């Protein structure tokens, strides 16, 4: 499994969502073309991506939806809950905390941090906003595995270093800072404007 | 330009961000390997993607950063401002409204809508929350080109149909509903849990 290309890994959550949607409408078997159409790719790509996970489909029939959901979930490590912290509890941090899509998929927000004295100690969706000064201690005590970084730009690099030093090896980076962190820390940059830029391309072409 | 593959289009905003970062640190020329490393892909992919845009680089030298930024921006239709509305002004809608990355890249939020009487009429970052009942009229009057859909799941399909009927042909869909809309309406689904699922994969592999 170590040789699965990053591009394939990036598509697995998308296949998983499509499969869940198919299951929700009562579809028990899908073929690669159907899955490709749902996922916005092509059938050859689907077959190639899924081939990395083993011999999964039946030629001429397709993939068992339930079985494939279980398998992809397992590969993605989604069969266990992941403990997540949000660092930077402004509007975006708050919105992510309230975003049902995370809890639904097994991501438990177990801590939220901010360094604004006005916010620290306040209730926040079943939690209490913790001070950034307690970051290292709390991340360790709570066994946090993934940090969502939503601090202001100016604090991002320093806070990310502290998160990494506290043993958290996965960071979802919503700031526009290119983080420099020790090897072994996986960072996923999220730029909400990317999708708008893709839409802009189609608008520019069609006008 | 009509034959540019969707996958390439999806990567253009990422190259654009990398090029802007390179420019910000004073780099005037990048080669395909450098750009690939920044973008998390490989050099052959970069060369192939950029080849769709014309003869851009100089063999053995690389790409002129400033020139490539201008060219990719032009292809993505980013040289003109895009007028955007946020439909559903809950926490996520509010966070997106306050997200500086959008305005910085030429996306002007010109209207925000909600159907909660408590919110309608309230000030919202220089705008006033408009009622969803005024959707069609306001989208037309304000020449909105892109709608960001952040309604509750239950309202998503109906509101999206009204957005499309009002002549808005690009929707960034933050709900988990698979929208069924007339051909010609481009929908980009955004699922914030995808990046967490990718991180989960790496955590599962490393443990």
């Amino acid at each position: 499994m170590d040789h699965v290309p990053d591009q394939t890994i990036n598509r697995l959550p998308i296949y998983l969502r499509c499969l869940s949607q198919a299951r929700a409408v009562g579809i028990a078997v899908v073929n690669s073309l159907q899955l490709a159409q749902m996922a916005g790719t092509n059938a050859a790509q689907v077959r190639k991506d899924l081939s990395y996970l083993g011999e999964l489909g039946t030629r001429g029939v397709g993939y068992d939806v339930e079985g494939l959901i279980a398998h992809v979930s397992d590969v993605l490590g989604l069969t266990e809950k992941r403990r997540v912290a949000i660092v930077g509890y402004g509007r975006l941090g708050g919105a992510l905390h309230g975003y049902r899509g995370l809890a639904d998929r097994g991501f438990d927000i177990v801590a939220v941090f901010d360094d604004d004295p006005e916010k620290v100690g306040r209730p926040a969706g079943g939690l209490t906003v913790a001070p950034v000064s307690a970051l290292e201690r709390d991340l360790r005590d709570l066994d946090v595995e993934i940090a969502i970084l939503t601090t202001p730009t100016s604090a991002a690099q320093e806070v990310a270093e502290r998160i990494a030093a506290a043993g958290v090896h996965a960071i979802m980076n919503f700031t526009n800072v290119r983080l420099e962190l020790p090897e072994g820390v996986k960072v996923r940059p999220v730029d909400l404007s990317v999708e708008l830029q893709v839409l802009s391309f189609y608008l520019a072409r069609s006008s």
Side-chain angles (χ1 to χ4, degrees), chain A residues 68-137:
Chain A
L68 193 51
I69 286 174
H71 195 79
V72 174
S73 298
D74 185 46
V75 169
L76 287 173
L78 301 176
T79 45
E80 45 185 321
K81 292 237 174 210
R82 296 283 174 198
R83 299 168 67 78
V84 179
I86 296 175
V87 187
Y89 205 64
R91 276 198 286 195
L92 183 58
L96 291 168
H97 191 192
Y99 185 70
R100 252 164 305 169
L102 302 190
D104 288 353
R105 290 182 180 82
F107 296 98
D108 272 350
I109 313 290
V110 297
V112 301
F113 297 90
D114 205 282
D115 68 356
D116 179 351
E118 295 275 302
K119 288 182 191 160
V120 170
R122 290 213 168 191
L127 301 172
T128 301
V129 179
V132 174
S133 59
L135 196 57
E136 287 85 349
R137 188 197 63 199

Side-chain angles (χ1 to χ4, degrees), chain A residues 164 168-169 180-187:
Chain A
V168 176
H169 292 135
E180 304 277 352
L181 294 170
E183 211 158 328
V185 180
K186 193 85 191 172
V187 178

